[in-house]
């Protein structure tokens, strides 16, 4: 429960912490790189970054590929940011290996950079802020399989093949399946973290499988796509997602979605921006924060049912208490 409290703290506490961190300077520009505009998770990250920048009297500049997860486009955006030279960068690579040369260009330009969400395979960073994808996959899958009483037919809709988040989440799914020998895995196919692609994958899976009892989706956008496919075919199955996005909360409230593993993109945006600004102000930073998962269900969704713009970033003191190395 410690983690769940993170995004919903009292404003006076935050303002007090912010006041103490503005002693050296302000007005910095933080360039925030996210992977796409199609996954609501990254909108959550961006709002968290904006929130923290505003509190600390800095400003953000967002770099988002117009084509989701485009490696060439993000590389081009890095070329642009190196020229514009912001105060610091908060960086999510669209591909954890392919973007290493880009990170090295940022390093060569001596622009401080914080890595969030997907851990880069190389380059130098002030901090890493992310979540435990394996635990997210394992715990959300366990919740679904328990709801099915450990029996039935399951399909997995994966994210982008080869991406770190997908590899770890699907590994968690599969380990949960190993704990339940009464569950049959019918198929495991990629939906590339996109709602429309997941909808199409689910439609195809339903054509070849007369009975699907559960769907393990590696993010909320794909879970919503799977639900739309089920509704379109007038079929029922228990579905879980990951990310704790607003659309997932709405689907949990309406009973369409069983659960979502909270990846807390809002906190990732907050903390990544916080560390960048603190480094610029020559204040201590935390080298690594790996956020623990929370499974959001109909029993505990209310604290998460808060508009993004109304959420409050954690303080540095609270960040210190997290899973910090």
């Amino acid at each position: 429960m410690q983690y769940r409290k993170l995004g919903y703290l009292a404003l006076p506490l935050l303002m007090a912490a912010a006041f103490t961190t503005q002693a050296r300077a302000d007005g910095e520009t933080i360039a925030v790189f996210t992977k796409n505009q199609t996954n609501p998770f990254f909108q959550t990250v961006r709002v968290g970054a904006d929130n923290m920048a505003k509190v600390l009297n800095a400003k953000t500049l967002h770099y988002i590929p117009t084509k989701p997860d485009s490696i060439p486009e993000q590389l081009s955006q890095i070329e642009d940011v190196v020229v514009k030279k912001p105060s610091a960068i908060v960086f999510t690579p669209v591909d954890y290996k392919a973007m290493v040369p880009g990170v090295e260009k940022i390093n060569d330009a001596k622009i401080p950079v914080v890595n969030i969400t997907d851990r880069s395979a190389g380059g130098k960073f002030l901090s890493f802020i992310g979540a435990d994808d394996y635990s997210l996959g394992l715990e959300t899958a366990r919740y679904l399989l328990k709801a099915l009483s450990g029996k039935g037919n399951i399909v997995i809709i994966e994210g982008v093949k080869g991406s770190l988040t997908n590899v770890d989440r699907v590994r968690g799914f599969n380990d949960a399946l190993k704990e339940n020998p009464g569950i049959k895995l019918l198929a495991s196919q990629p939906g590339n973290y996109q709602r429309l692609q997941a909808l199409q994958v689910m439609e195809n899976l339903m054509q070849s499988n007369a009975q699907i009892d559960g769907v393990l989706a590696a993010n909320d956008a794909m879970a919503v796509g799977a639900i739309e496919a089920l509704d379109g075919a007038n079929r029922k199955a228990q579905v879980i997602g990951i990310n704790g996005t607003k659309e997932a909360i709405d689907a949990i409230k309406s009973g369409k979605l069983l659960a979502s593993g909270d990846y807390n993109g809002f906190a990732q945006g907050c903390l990544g921006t916080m560390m960048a600004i603190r480094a610029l102000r020559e204040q201590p930073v935390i080298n690594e924060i790996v956020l623990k998962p929370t499974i959001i269900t109909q029993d505990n969704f209310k604290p998460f049912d808060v508009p993004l713009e109304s959420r409050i970033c954690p303080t540095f003191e609270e960040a210190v208490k997290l899973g910090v190395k």
Side-chain angles (χ1 to χ4, degrees):
M1 299 303 290
Q2 179 187 30
Y3 169 56
R4 205 183 77 178
K5 291 166 61 180
L6 251 184
Y8 315 98
L9 300 169
L11 184 60
L13 284 176
L14 178 64
M15 295 302 292
F19 181 80
T20 61
T21 59
Q22 293 180 28
R24 296 191 63 85
D26 58 23
E28 301 93 337
T29 298
I30 309 300
V32 181
F33 281 69
T34 45
K35 297 168 73 169
N36 57 63
Q37 300 198 52
T38 54
N39 186 342
F41 169 78
F42 290 109
Q43 175 61 14
T44 306
V45 172
R46 290 189 284 269
V47 173
D50 292 347
N51 183 309
M52 181 55 78
K54 183 177 180 180
V55 168
L56 296 180
N57 200 27
K59 55 187 176 183
T60 53
L61 180 63
H62 289 284
Y63 285 83
I64 312 165
T66 55
K67 182 181 178 182
D69 297 25
S70 169
I71 292 171
E73 195 169 348
Q74 192 172 69
L75 285 170
S76 174
Q77 290 176 337
I78 287 175
E79 298 283 353
D80 179 69
V81 85
V82 165
V83 172
K84 290 183 176 175
K85 204 146 188 168
S87 308
I89 294 172
V90 174
F91 188 74
T92 305
V94 297
D95 183 291
Y96 76 107
K97 291 181 180 176
M99 297 313 300
V100 171
V103 176
E104 291 171 346
K105 286 186 179 179
I106 294 171
N107 293 155
D108 291 342
K110 301 191 183 307
I111 304 172
V113 56
V114 174
N115 184 195
I116 65 169
T117 308
D118 288 29
R119 194 188 296 269
S120 174
K124 298 176 182 175
F125 295 93
L126 295 168
S127 301
F128 171 76
I129 313 293
D132 183 344
D133 285 289
Y134 172 77
S135 295
L136 277 165
L138 181 69
E139 297 303 329
T140 50
R142 280 175 171 169
Y143 189 84
L144 171 66
L145 302 183
K146 184 178 180 181
L148 295 175
S149 300
K151 55 187 178 183
N153 296 329
I154 296 291
V155 297
I156 293 175
I157 304 181
E158 301 186 24
V160 176
K161 284 280 191 183
S163 69
L164 271 183
T165 54
N166 184 64
V167 169
D168 287 345
R169 290 176 191 182
V170 172
R171 186 163 56 90
F173 287 165
N174 283 310
D175 282 355
L177 290 170
K178 291 174 185 174
E179 298 172 351
N180 293 268
I183 295 287
K184 182 180 181 181
L185 177 61
L186 299 174
S188 186
Q189 296 184 9
N192 294 323
Y193 290 135
Q194 303 296 316
R195 181 184 61 78
L196 180 58
Q197 291 186 38
L199 185 153
Q200 294 166 341
V201 167
M202 191 67 198
E203 287 176 340
N204 292 334
L205 289 172
M206 286 191 294
Q207 288 179 4
S208 53
N209 295 282
Q211 183 65 40
I212 297 176
D213 303 298
V215 180
L216 297 163
N219 79 348
D220 287 338
M222 296 193 299
V224 171
I227 290 169
E228 291 172 343
L230 286 162
D231 286 348
N234 198 27
R235 286 174 61 167
K236 301 290 184 184
Q238 297 279 19
V239 181
I240 61 106
I242 288 176
N243 281 351
T245 60
K246 181 182 184 305
E247 64 180 351
I249 303 301
D250 290 344
I252 289 170
K253 287 165 60 179
S254 68
K256 291 279 188 181
L257 183 69
L258 180 66
S260 176
D262 182 26
Y263 200 50
N264 210 330
F266 182 81
Q268 292 188 32
C270 291
L271 294 170
T273 304
M274 176 196 286
M275 297 309 153
I277 295 172
R278 286 184 65 88
L280 292 169
R281 298 178 184 179
E282 299 181 13
Q283 297 169 328
V285 300
I286 302 168
N287 292 331
E288 181 168 321
I289 298 176
V290 178
L291 300 163
K292 296 178 180 177
T294 298
I295 309 305
I296 306 171
T297 71
Q298 282 209 327
D299 294 330
N300 67 353
F301 73 84
K302 288 185 179 178
F304 299 90
D305 191 22
V306 178
L308 286 175
E309 292 74 13
S310 301
R311 296 188 182 184
I312 304 300
C313 284
T315 65
F316 181 72
E317 290 74 15
E318 288 159 341
V320 170
K321 298 176 183 177
L322 296 172
V324 182
K325 293 181 179 178

